[in-house]
Amino acid sequence: MSRVVLPLLILVAAAAAIPAPANAATPMEAEALLAWKASLQDDAAALSGWSRAAPVCRWHGVACDSGRVAKLRLRGAGLSGGLDKLDFAALPALIELDLNGNNFTGAIPASISRVRSLASLDLGNNGFSDSIPLQFGDFSGLVDLRLYNNNLVGAIPYQLSRLPNIIHFDLEANYLTDQDFAKFSPMPTVTFMSLYLNSINGSFPDFILKSPNVTYLDLSQNTLFGQIPDTLPEKLPNLGYLNLSINSFSGPIPASLGKVDEAAGPADGRQQSHRRRPGVPRLGNLRTLTFLELSMNQLTGGLPPEFAGMRAMRYFGIARNILTGDIPPELFTSWPELISFQVQSNSFTGKIPPELGKARKLKILYLFSNNFTGSIPAELGELVELSELDLSVNWLTGSIPKSIGRLSQLTRLALFFNELSGTIPPEIGNMTSLQMLNLNSNQLDGDLPPTITLLRNLNYIDLFGNKLSGIIPSDLGRGVRLIDVSLANNNFSGELPQNICEGFALQNFTASNNNFTGNLPACFRNCTRLYQVSLANNSFTGDISEAFSDHPSLTYLDLSYNRFTGNLPENLWTLPALKFLDLSNNGFSGEISFSTSSNIPLETLYLANNDLRGVFPSVIKQCRSLIALDLGSNMFFGHIPIWIGTSVPLVRFLSLQSNNFSGDIPSELSQLSRLQLLDMSKNSFTGHIPSFGNLTSMFLTEIISGTESFNRLDTPLQLQVQHFSVVSRRTEPNNNRNQDEYGDRVNIFWKGREQIFQRTVDSVVGIDLSSNSLTEDIPEELTYLQGILFLNLSRNTLSGSIPGRIGSLKLLEYLDLSSNELSGVIPPSISNLLSLSMLNLSNNRLWGEIPTGSQLQTLVDPSIYSNNLGLCGFPLSIACHASTLDEKNEDHEKFDMSLYYSVIIGAVFGFWLWFGALIFLKPFRVFVFRFVDQIERSYAKVVHIKALFRCKSASK
């Protein structure tokens, strides 16, 4: 080290020894500095004393030596502008320039290189752009170069590697790119080198391996690749800090990083060459290394036990790689100074070594997102200085050890996503520094220990997804600033603690899927910071208007499946941030109040299964961001307003089922181009089915061969055909909230029963208009919606034939046209429905042979074709014969003639009715128009049926 510092001492001494000439240059230096000051954008207060009235050497930030400006230190002075107006030639004695932490922009002028006496240049933490001047390689006396945290671009000039006295070399946090490191020279004087956070590509730079005095090396957050050099310990034996994280290094970790060479000499790293074995590389043991960070690369293999040789280790990180195998227990007996051990997000296996308890100075222990098994070692209780412990997302079993209560310094305990069982030990109350407790998604049972109320610093508690039961301690929250609480998916009962939000800091509260009862705590109305509340699937009662009256940050509110009553609070429509509101399956009553708000931010609104009444709520017109709307199973009535096609253009899920809506289905619904689920079943709609030709989110524009997804026009959704895919529990722990706890859902009648689609809601595409009074034909345009998975038009009075192009709905899984007045044959194209798993065509007037097809042959229940005029073929027991079809043909021809005469008679009768209608009232004329139109339609259908039978007979 003394050899490295010597050039700096010589340089400083030499600069101090330079005598000032008789004609001192101070006036010239003053004019240069004042001209630069005038060019700055803001005349900062830091330079207010710079004037000709005061000596230059007394100006703020200026230090002189022998009457010359030697140092210019303006760190963090709030200056803005550039350096191009500063005449560096007028500052020949300058040895230090420190402008760190200002707002300088523009290019760094090459003219700085004229100051050959400069020993320290710090331009860090500014906004300099463009490239680093090549002339910087001429700084023969430069010892300290800091250009970090700017906007510098381009390649690092190889001339910088020729700086003969450079010690501190810091170019981190810029946009410097890769270059040909082969042109770089070794830098034997450098001890500190940082190229962190740039865009440097390529393999490990070879010139660094030829810079043997480097003690601090940071190459993290670049795009370096290839293997970490096995010779690194030999070439850089004095390393104390090594950071190669966030790159693309691959292959195994070199065991040489920690191996003790059998031929090693004294502890100072010097080697005796005559003791080296042939063929064995000269390996250093990096005994001085205190910081090693290799996280976020692509390293494979195991963790070398040889790492135990790095006995000075304090901070060890190797997270987010592809490492496997056990954790060597000898690490913890050989690293007595260890403070941080982070190996998360790998694939380590085996048990957690009990030897961890020997690392008594450990403060941070991250083992999460691996495949560790077995129990939590009781020895962890010996780590009395531990502040953060995260063992989440593993396969740990057994109970939480009581010894964990000894960790009185622990602030964060995360054990979620394991297989832990048993009770939560009451000793947890001794962890008085604890701020975050996350035990979600385990198999813990029993009561929540009352000692948890002793944790006065607790602000985050997550118990989601266990088997905990009993009553929540009534004092939970008293005197504590709880911020995030999740009690969801357990078996808790009783009332919520009345002091749960006494600290007025509560932001996120979930207690869904329990057995809670009673009214909500009155203190909820004081928690104005709440942004997320989920209390679904409990037995809460009472009115909610008090609890949620003034919450400007509330974005998510789910109170579904409870026993709340009363009218919906008017203020719900005025909450400025609310996007998700689910009040379904309660006892809310009355009409929905009108809102004067011009733009309600709601995106999801579920009000189904209540006792709400009135006409279609006009408040929805103000919800222009609405994506999902469910008003099903209430007592709404009247017509659907035509503004629904324009006022809520983003709607994708629309359910109005089981109400008393009437009138025509507005054709304006077809303007909802993003609509992918429409359920208007079980109402009193009349008239014909609109064409729905513009529902482009239901179009299938491209089937991707060999995959299970397809693209749809004008929609960001990517519909997945596999509906019930399960998200793996092996998820990253960045978001500790279980994914089932929140999210959109829809309830639809699917495959014979009502089902809830959640998280897979984007895969639900279809139309349900069943159980209404719809008439006339099924529009041919419905067959253009080739992305739909289900179509239910049953229990109406639809007539005509099944559209011949029904087979073009290639993804259709559910088709129900039963209980209508459909006639004719079943179109042969129906055999093209290769995904069809549920079909019902019963209770119509269909006849002829049932089409065959590979998928149709799996539908073996004959009831799906029952109560039709004359269907035959599989799966019915009625065989199809040519004579039988001929008889059907004759029957229909007779029916054809009788209906033909009826048409003639009807036409004559209609003429007289028409004549009468010219005299009488307009309503009577409308009736006549419809009567005649119906006759014409009936005759057209007869002609169509006759043609079909003739074709069938001819084919036989």
Side-chain angles (χ1 to χ4, degrees), residues 918-936:
L918 295 175
I919 303 173
F920 296 105
L921 297 177
K922 179 180 179 181
F924 185 72
R925 294 202 303 271
V926 173
F927 168 76
V928 172
F929 272 121
R930 291 183 176 176
F931 178 80
V932 174
D933 180 67
Q934 192 62 36
I935 291 175
E936 291 175 350

Side-chain angles (χ1 to χ4, degrees), residues 668-846:
E668 286 77 7
L669 283 174
S670 190
Q671 298 178 34
L672 300 176
S673 60
R674 296 173 180 257
L675 193 64
Q676 66 182 66
L677 170 67
L678 176 62
D679 188 349
M680 307 182 76
S681 61
K682 300 177 185 176
N683 280 284
S684 300
F685 290 113
T686 56
H688 64 280
I689 299 175
S691 66
F692 293 139
N694 295 323
L695 299 182
T696 52
S697 279
M698 298 188 187
F699 285 7
L700 173 62
T701 59
E702 178 183 3
I703 297 179
I704 304 174
S705 176
T707 68
E708 294 182 324
S709 63
F710 64 84
N711 300 322
R712 279 174 290 139
L713 197 61
D714 297 332
T715 174
L717 290 174
Q718 293 298 314
L719 180 63
Q720 298 298 316
V721 175
Q722 64 273 20
H723 301 152
F724 301 102
S725 58
V726 178
V727 175
S728 170
R729 70 182 293 277
R730 317 300 298 166
T731 55
E732 290 296 332
N734 296 338
N735 181 8
N736 297 339
R737 186 72 59 211
N738 188 284
Q739 296 186 20
D740 286 328
E741 192 166 350
Y742 304 130
D744 282 344
R745 60 173 173 75
V746 292
N747 295 40
I748 62 172
F749 193 80
W750 177 263
K751 299 185 179 179
R753 62 187 178 90
E754 186 178 44
Q755 296 190 24
I756 298 176
F757 283 68
Q758 187 165 352
R759 288 189 299 147
T760 54
V761 64
D762 286 351
S763 67
V764 183
V765 181
I767 296 175
D768 190 346
L769 304 179
S770 62
S771 300
N772 282 288
S773 299
L774 299 172
T775 58
E776 303 185 27
D777 296 355
I778 299 175
E780 187 77 14
E781 290 84 354
L782 283 182
T783 62
Y784 301 156
L785 309 180
Q786 297 180 30
I788 63 175
L789 304 180
F790 71 91
L791 177 62
N792 191 349
L793 306 179
S794 64
R795 296 176 178 83
N796 282 286
T797 54
L798 299 172
S799 56
S801 57
I802 299 174
R805 296 184 67 256
I806 192 72
S808 63
L809 303 179
K810 297 187 181 296
L811 297 181
L812 201 63
E813 298 183 11
Y814 180 111
L815 176 61
D816 192 347
L817 305 179
S818 64
S819 299
N820 279 289
E821 298 178 2
L822 299 173
S823 57
V825 298
I826 301 174
S829 69
I830 201 171
S831 60
N832 297 333
L833 302 180
L834 301 181
S835 299
L836 196 64
S837 59
M838 191 281 174
L839 174 67
N840 193 349
L841 302 179
S842 64
N843 297 292
N844 279 289
R845 299 175 181 176
L846 301 171

Side-chain angles (χ1 to χ4, degrees), residues 8 12 49 81 111 117 176 201 247 375 681 691 757:
L8 175 61
V12 173
S111 59
S117 60
L176 301 172
N201 199 6
N247 277 287
S375 58
S681 61
S691 66
F757 283 68

Side-chain angles (χ1 to χ4, degrees), residues 427-481:
E427 288 79 4
I428 201 170
N430 297 328
M431 303 167 70
T432 52
S433 299
L434 201 62
Q435 299 174 14
M436 192 278 283
L437 174 64
N438 194 336
L439 307 177
N440 87 63
S441 302
N442 281 285
Q443 299 178 26
L444 300 171
D445 55 26
D447 295 351
L448 187 61
T451 54
I452 199 170
T453 61
L454 301 176
L455 305 179
R456 316 307 292 176
N457 293 299
L458 194 65
N459 52 46
Y460 181 105
I461 177 170
D462 192 348
L463 306 176
F464 173 92
N466 281 284
K467 300 177 182 178
L468 299 169
S469 58
I471 297 174
I472 303 296
S474 58
D475 284 342
L476 183 64
R478 184 184 297 274
V480 180
R481 289 180 57 82

Side-chain angles (χ1 to χ4, degrees), residues 563-583:
R563 300 177 182 176
F564 293 115
T565 56
N567 295 333
L568 297 185
E570 295 183 12
N571 64 288
L572 285 178
W573 316 115
T574 61
L575 295 178
L578 190 62
K579 293 185 177 181
F580 183 101
L581 177 60
D582 190 349
L583 304 179

Side-chain angles (χ1 to χ4, degrees), residues 158-298:
Y158 67 87
Q159 290 86 350
L160 295 184
S161 66
R162 300 175 182 175
L163 295 171
N165 296 300
I166 191 71
I167 295 175
H168 193 104
F169 187 74
D170 191 348
L171 307 181
E172 69 181 37
N174 281 287
Y175 298 94
L176 301 172
T177 55
D178 56 298
Q179 58 281 301
D180 185 3
F181 284 124
K183 296 181 179 179
F184 277 64
S185 304
M187 302 179 73
T189 58
V190 169
T191 61
F192 182 104
M193 178 178 292
S194 179
L195 304 178
Y196 148 78
L197 194 57
N198 279 285
S199 301
I200 301 172
N201 199 6
S203 57
F204 193 97
D206 187 62
F207 83 96
I208 295 179
L209 295 175
K210 298 176 182 178
S211 306
N213 287 305
V214 171
T215 60
Y216 183 106
L217 177 60
D218 193 343
L219 302 179
S220 62
Q221 296 199 44
N222 282 285
T223 53
L224 297 169
F225 55 83
Q227 293 193 348
I228 298 173
D230 193 65
T231 58
L232 191 145
E234 174 190 359
K235 300 296 185 180
L236 306 177
N238 299 315
L239 271 180
Y241 181 105
L242 176 61
N243 193 344
L244 304 180
S245 64
I246 318 181
N247 277 287
S248 296
F249 289 115
S250 59
I253 304 170
S256 62
L257 291 183
K259 186 179 294 183
V260 179
D261 185 10
E262 295 182 6
D268 62 4
R270 288 175 291 179
Q271 305 286 335
Q272 297 180 14
S273 59
H274 68 278
R275 296 180 59 192
R276 295 176 59 195
R277 295 182 179 179
V280 177
R282 182 181 166 191
L283 301 176
N285 56 27
L286 296 181
R287 290 188 177 183
T288 59
L289 194 66
T290 62
F291 184 103
L292 177 60
E293 181 57 82
L294 304 177
S295 297
M296 298 184 71
N297 280 286
Q298 301 171 23

